[in-house]
Amino acid sequence: ARALALVAVALAVGVHGQHDYADQMESLAARHAGDMRASARNDPDAARREAMAQQMLHDMLKDVLAMLDYGSVAAKEAAVARLLQMAVQTTTGSMFHPTTFRNAAMKAGIVPKLIAFMQSGSDHARYLCAGALQALALDDPTTTLDNGHQAAICQSGAVPLLVGMLKKGASAKAAGRTEGVYELLQTSAAGALATLAESEVCKRMIVQSGAIEPLVALAMFGSDQTKLTAVHALDVLQFNAADVKAQVSGAGAQALLKGLTQYGSDVLRESAADVLKGLSAPAKQLSSEERVRGVHELRMKHEDRREQLMEQARIMYGGVQTPFKVTNPNARSESVEYYQIGA
């Protein structure tokens, strides 16, 4: 589950009561194909098995697409939550390799649908979509391969929407929203941007969209979980990029990070100290593999610390609370009817 630790908060909302759906999909796929991941390791015909997996996943994702195309608002929110759950399950023993699932989701056209729903949906929709985009953006941290998912998501228009979510704090207060709602929106956006920034293409788009100053502000005023997410994003953005290091420092990050090393929690102190060290380190000439390895190491380090904070929250407060209501788990039948009517 480490590969998706950064979206664990998103799993706490919108997916409750929907385990039956993902379980049915997993059971159906298992009956038809067996353990695809184990078979692929022993079968020299890996390309054929990959094609089989892609087709099966395409069929599984058709219901999600139907909901996003024809469903009510509740049905669409349920679809995004289910997509997020399926993505997580591929990292926790699913028959499908995580990359295979993400390839299928990209080919099915899921990302443009998510982005369209972010533009037209509610705060809850944007929150869920940011988590789903982050889940789809994750590459396998055990390799130095770049599967291209992050760049494809950014080139589909995700960055301006996510950065816009970061900047919503002041307007959210003016509109009378609770502090918990807009901070949660900002945190989900920061988490998605932290993952997308592992791509050099995305990093440049994120910086040009003006994400640095709101990330610094989020690291200053948010909860510990929020601060850690913002610090993670800043760490990935500054990684081996002299111009970005200068922008992060110019936005007041140096003073903020020094303060966190003195007055933050143990986990925050460690993360802030690491970013300070990164800001002072000169940029180097890195190969593509070295760069990917470096950002993957950053991700795993920050995920370890996020897991520590989440465990502390579970011990102290009995779990991570959110101000969003749970998505209707019965919306799937409604969306299927819409799909049949529109077919």
Side-chain angles (χ1 to χ4, degrees), residues 102 132-139 149-150 153 192 195-196 198 299:
R102 285 154 181 77
L133 288 173
Q134 182 182 6
L136 293 176
L138 287 167
D139 279 328
H149 302 148
Q150 294 157 346
I153 290 170
T195 300
L196 291 170
E198 294 177 12
R299 181 205 303 171

Side-chain angles (χ1 to χ4, degrees), residues 139 143-151 198-200 288 291-292:
D139 279 328
T143 75
T144 55
L145 296 176
D146 182 352
N147 297 308
H149 302 148
Q150 294 157 346
E198 294 177 12
S199 160
E200 193 66 24
S288 176
R291 188 193 62 77
V292 171

Side-chain angles (χ1 to χ4, degrees), residues 12-13 25 29 47 57 61 91 111 123 139 146 154-155 170 173 181 199 222-223 230 240 264 267 281 295 310 315 338:
V13 65
M25 293 297 99
L57 284 169
L61 290 165
T91 71
V111 171
D123 287 340
D139 279 328
D146 182 352
C154 292
Q155 290 166 344
K173 273 187 176 179
V181 168
S199 160
S223 65
N240 204 51
V267 174
V295 293
M310 292 183 71
I315 293 171
Y338 277 114

Side-chain angles (χ1 to χ4, degrees), residues 56-242:
M56 291 178 61
L57 284 169
H58 175 74
D59 294 341
M60 292 167 65
L61 290 165
K62 285 174 72 172
D63 187 51
V64 173
L65 287 167
M67 283 194 259
L68 289 172
D69 278 335
Y70 305 109
S72 64
V73 171
K76 290 178 179 179
E77 290 180 355
V80 179
R82 288 165 185 162
L83 174 69
L84 179 53
Q85 184 182 16
M86 285 191 283
V88 171
Q89 287 187 327
T90 65
T91 71
T92 57
S94 166
M95 61 178 287
F96 296 112
H97 189 280
T99 301
T100 299
F101 174 82
R102 285 154 181 77
N103 287 343
M106 300 297 287
K107 290 179 180 178
I110 289 287
V111 171
K113 305 290 186 184
L114 293 174
I115 290 173
F117 192 31
M118 288 180 74
Q119 293 174 314
S120 63
S122 64
D123 287 340
H124 190 195
R126 284 187 282 275
Y127 169 76
L128 290 173
C129 287
L133 288 173
Q134 182 182 6
L136 293 176
L138 287 167
D139 279 328
D140 184 353
T142 64
T143 75
T144 55
L145 296 176
D146 182 352
N147 297 308
H149 302 148
Q150 294 157 346
I153 290 170
C154 292
Q155 290 166 344
S156 295
V159 170
L161 295 175
L162 292 168
V163 175
M165 288 170 65
L166 283 180
K167 298 177 178 179
K168 285 288 186 180
S171 60
K173 273 187 176 179
R177 297 178 191 157
T178 66
E179 182 175 348
V181 168
Y182 73 75
E183 182 173 323
L184 199 63
L185 289 170
Q186 291 172 306
T187 305
S188 64
L193 291 170
T195 300
L196 291 170
E198 294 177 12
S199 160
E200 193 66 24
V201 171
C202 293
K203 175 190 289 190
R204 293 299 158 187
M205 295 176 70
I206 292 167
V207 171
Q208 291 169 9
S209 294
I212 291 176
E213 287 190 4
L215 283 171
V216 171
L218 200 60
M220 184 178 299
F221 298 111
S223 65
D224 277 6
Q225 289 282 355
T226 298
K227 286 183 171 109
L228 189 62
T229 304
V231 168
H232 176 194
L234 291 169
D235 202 8
V236 179
L237 286 170
Q238 66 82 30
F239 176 75
N240 204 51

Side-chain angles (χ1 to χ4, degrees), residues 275-334:
V275 181
L276 278 172
K277 183 178 179 180
L279 287 173
S280 63
K284 302 177 182 178
Q285 285 292 115
L286 298 180
S287 68
S288 176
E289 287 192 355
E290 289 172 330
R291 188 193 62 77
V292 171
R293 186 182 301 111
V295 293
H296 281 178
E297 289 174 354
L298 286 181
R299 181 205 303 171
M300 301 310 293
K301 177 178 63 179
H302 285 286
E303 282 180 353
D304 282 341
R305 290 168 181 165
R306 175 164 292 278
E307 287 178 352
Q308 292 177 44
L309 276 183
M310 292 183 71
E311 181 60 25
Q312 292 172 10
R314 281 190 288 268
I315 293 171
M316 295 177 64
Y317 307 114
V320 179
Q321 302 298 318
T322 76
F324 288 124
K325 64 181 180 181
V326 174
T327 302
N328 175 17
N330 299 315
R332 178 172 179 266
S333 59
E334 174 192 5

